[in-house]
Each structure stands twice: as C-alpha cells, then as structure tokens.
Amino acid sequence: MIQHKEHFHGSDLEKIEKVYGIRKEDIVSFSANVNPLGVSPRLRETLASHIDAITTYPDREYTSLRECIAAYTGTEPEHVIVGNGSTELISLFIQIEHPKKAIIVGPTYSEYEREISLGGGTSLYYPLREKDGFLLDTDDFTSHLNESIDLLVICNPNNPTSSAITRRDMRQILDVCKQHDIFVMVDETYVEFADNTEDITAVPLTHYYNNIIILRGTSKFFASPGLRLGYAITGNRDLIKAINTRKNPWTINSLAVIAGELMFTDEEYIRKTRELISTERARMYRIFDTHPDFKAYQPSANFMLVRLLRDDITSQDLFDRAIRQNMMIRDCSTFPFLDMKYIRFCFMTPQMNDKLAACLLDD
C-alpha cells in the first residue's frame, strides 16, 4: 500500500486555523473543488419552508428521488441507488465485491485504496504519465489488464489531474475487463462540470454492460457537501439488490430528499454553474499555460493541475504564500506519482481567480 503523506484536505479549515492563525471563516478554499456559486437560491428557500419534513420518515425506497436522478442522468429509476454520500456507496460496493486485487488509475483520490485495504485487498496503480499530459493511453492500459485483477477503479474526470476518458475509450476498457472478469467502478463526481459531459459520462454504458457501477454525489456541483447525498448507477440487478439489502434504512434524511428532488431540476442554477466554470476554466488555463514559470495541464473538471518549473519554488512554498493571503490551494506532493512541483486549485468567481493568479504568479 502506498504511503500517503499528511496533508490539508479542502475540508480541513480547522487545522489551517490552528496552524496559521487564520480564522476559517476568512479562508477562501480553492482546494475543496466546490461550486463557487454556493447553495442555489431556490434550494435555500425550499429547505427553509420545508423544515417540518424532519418530523416524518422519508420514503424507505426513495422512489421520487430516484426518479429525479434517473431523469437527470438519462437512466432508469431501478438502476439508481442512493446513499449517504458517495463514500457510503464506495464502502458498500467494496464490501460486497470484496476484491482481492484492484488496479487504480492514478494519481487519484486515496479513499479508493483505503476502502480496498480495509476489505483485505491490495491495490496496484497504473500511473498516468506527465509526458502524455496525464491523459490515459487506453491501448497501453488495457494491455496491463489480466485475470488476476478483480476490480478497476477510475475517477473520470480524474482528481487531481482534471484529465478525462471519453465514453468511446471507456467502452474499449469495459470490453477488455469483460474478457478478464474485472468489475469497473467509475467515480464521476466532477463530470457535470465538463464542457463535453455527454462525451465523457459512462451512464449510457450501464444499459448494456453489467460490469460497471458509476458513483456521483451532490457535494461538488451542487455545493452541498454537508447534505451527504450520493448516488450510484448500475445495470447489474444482482449488485443493486445486494447493496440495498446491506444498506441501512433511511440513510438519507427527509431534508436531503427534498433538496435532491429540487436540485436535479434546477435548470437555471445548472446552466449558470456550467457557464461560469467553462469561462473561468478557459481563462485560467490560458493565464498559466502562457506563463514561463508554470506548466498547466488541460482541465476537464472545475479544477486544474499545474507544475512549477522554477527550481527555487516548491508546492509548499506556494501553499504558504496563498494561505497567508487567506486562500487555500492543494499541495499535490501528497498524491502518488506527484512531487513537490505540483499544485491544484479549483475555479472560483472571476474576482477570486484574479486574486489567486496574482498571488501565485507574483515573483
């Protein structure tokens, strides 16, 4: 198991407060990858007016919520499983599949490896290569798959590289995995931020592949990490039954159900989010891509990975510089295969993005 160094997660504002003496309320987190628009006004009003919902139990089957998710993602309600954040569903899936040997496309989120390890399995990493811009070489990757592997884990778009795999390539991967009896878990937490979501999402593949499960949540795109509303999509009916049998009842509270039924139909909020992220992603990429001290990698999600080209500056230096101006970025030296020359930051409002750029580009 790869040893992951201590780091500040986007939610670790209390730690930052203690270490740097900065009030957490004053910190703008470019590390959490959360929608800068914050909670939708419609959602705020709806939850405030439905507070009495906590006096009743939600529908045990979450029928209406699953129908809303199915309509939003283009699948069938019976293919949708809801959970207390995508982390609960990852854990349940790993417990049920119980993989002895998994391969993870990395660098990526450490929770996958942790859950596999807790289940007694081991994880191998297939490293995305810097020389390829951290894009997956599908032909080379599939040549490394074999019968000894039980599970493949892919984050798409990937965190922290912000690179993405097209559905066409995902289908090629699924075909090879089918030959070797490998189940595929795809984390699509950030897919809704992409300009070409329809070319990336693997949801349509769940209609005719039974060796794939897709995980999503509402924490990032809908700016609601505290809501703990996640969902999974799969066409494997045996897996759906196994997860629902093992899952605790009422893992999603009544207010989260109301929120979910609204947010997936909040077209104005969804449109504004995509327009803001698309514009700022292109603008920030141009700023860093044309600067001689940095190498920016083409982002698909709402964040960007950047390599520092100067020998006298490290990722920790820039983290310190930014946090002292009340802005928190991610020091990526904690990810496997990345070193002290990589940072990641998400896209916020134009004004905040300008402030961050001025801070990081300051000699």
Side-chain angles (χ1 to χ4, degrees):
M1 182 174 177
I2 289 180
Q3 296 299 311
H4 300 270
K5 294 189 292 183
E6 179 65 25
H7 66 276
F8 292 113
H9 183 268
S11 63
D12 291 339
L13 298 183
E14 287 80 6
K15 287 184 182 180
I16 293 287
E17 191 174 47
K18 291 180 180 178
V19 173
Y20 287 89
I22 302 170
R23 291 196 326 144
K24 63 181 181 181
E25 293 82 7
D26 297 332
I27 299 172
V28 177
S29 180
F30 286 83
S31 177
N33 298 340
V34 173
N35 187 336
L37 293 182
V39 175
S40 158
R42 278 187 62 200
L43 180 58
R44 190 185 303 276
E45 293 172 7
T46 299
L47 289 181
S49 63
H50 287 77
I51 188 65
D52 288 344
I54 63 174
T55 65
T56 60
Y57 284 99
D59 167 23
R60 190 172 182 136
E61 302 299 322
Y62 298 106
T63 304
S64 179
L65 176 59
R66 289 189 296 107
E67 287 174 351
C68 289
I69 294 171
Y72 176 70
T73 58
T75 189
E76 305 301 322
E78 56 266 29
H79 290 176
V80 177
I81 312 164
V82 293
N84 190 247
S86 60
T87 49
E88 181 198 24
L89 296 171
I90 291 172
S91 181
L92 283 169
F93 171 73
I94 296 298
Q95 289 172 29
I96 290 166
E97 287 298 307
H98 199 64
K100 294 182 175 64
K101 186 177 180 181
I103 185 165
I104 302 172
V105 177
T108 196
Y109 184 45
S110 62
E111 189 66 21
Y112 312 134
E113 182 184 355
R114 177 180 173 274
E115 288 292 342
I116 292 164
S117 177
L118 288 174
T122 59
S123 299
L124 303 175
Y125 278 83
Y126 177 88
L128 298 170
R129 293 175 292 212
E130 192 277 337
K131 71 181 182 67
D132 297 328
F134 294 105
L135 294 171
L136 182 69
D137 182 334
T138 307
D139 290 334
D140 182 74
F141 171 65
T142 53
S143 71
H144 287 76
L145 300 176
N146 56 65
E147 285 79 3
S148 71
I149 299 165
D150 305 306
L151 175 67
L152 165 61
V153 180
I154 298 174
C155 184
N156 193 37
N158 186 46
N159 176 21
T161 61
S162 205
S163 52
I165 302 167
T166 65
R167 184 159 69 248
R168 180 178 179 179
D169 285 343
M170 188 69 75
R171 184 165 188 170
Q172 180 182 338
I173 292 168
L174 282 167
D175 283 338
V176 176
C177 286
K178 211 44 170 158
Q179 295 172 24
H180 299 305
D181 195 25
I182 300 170
F183 210 100
V184 182
M185 183 176 81
V186 182
D187 185 345
E188 288 193 351
T189 293
Y190 300 103
V191 75
E192 292 143 289
F193 290 107
D195 282 337
N196 56 336
T197 299
E198 294 306 313
D199 295 329
I200 297 174
T201 179
V203 169
L205 299 179
T206 62
H207 294 298
Y208 39 91
Y209 284 90
N210 67 352
N211 63 327
I212 181 174
I213 185 169
I214 296 169
L215 299 161
R216 288 193 188 180
T218 58
S219 296
K220 307 300 185 181
F221 190 83
F222 292 100
S224 57
L227 200 62
R228 307 312 308 140
L229 173 58
Y231 58 98
I233 300 170
T234 181
N236 189 313
R237 294 183 181 274
D238 291 337
L239 177 59
I240 293 171
K241 183 178 180 180
I243 292 178
N244 284 329
T245 299
R246 184 173 295 221
K247 187 160 63 78
N248 290 327
W250 302 301
T251 56
I252 301 174
N253 66 67
S254 299
L255 286 178
V257 171
I258 292 170
E261 291 175 354
L262 182 144
M263 60 176 51
F264 295 114
T265 60
D266 194 346
E267 294 181 4
E268 182 180 5
Y269 178 84
I270 292 169
R271 177 183 57 79
K272 286 183 177 179
T273 296
R274 288 180 171 154
E275 287 177 354
L276 171 64
I277 297 302
S278 180
T279 300
E280 289 304 295
R281 174 171 49 226
R283 190 173 71 89
M284 290 293 279
Y285 175 71
R286 284 195 302 269
I287 289 173
F288 281 84
D289 188 51
T290 56
H291 197 283
D293 293 344
F294 297 89
K295 178 175 181 178
Y297 301 94
Q298 186 75 56
S300 293
N302 63 322
F303 53 85
M304 183 166 65
L305 182 70
V306 175
R307 181 157 63 98
L308 319 181
L309 301 181
R310 280 175 50 177
D311 293 335
D312 59 335
I313 295 181
T314 68
S315 52
Q316 182 62 51
D317 294 332
L318 288 190
F319 179 92
D320 286 339
R321 183 192 297 178
I323 199 62
R324 294 185 192 285
Q325 294 186 36
N326 293 3
M327 295 178 290
M328 181 179 175
I329 62 172
R330 180 62 189 270
D331 171 359
C332 289
S333 63
T334 57
F335 284 95
F337 314 116
L338 299 182
D339 57 25
M340 62 182 67
K341 291 296 182 180
Y342 292 90
I343 60 171
R344 186 202 72 200
F345 52 84
C346 65
F347 309 118
M348 305 290 278
T349 64
Q351 295 79 10
M352 289 309 306
N353 290 336
D354 286 342
K355 184 179 178 182
L356 180 68
C359 170
L360 298 180
L361 301 177
D362 181 18
D363 290 334

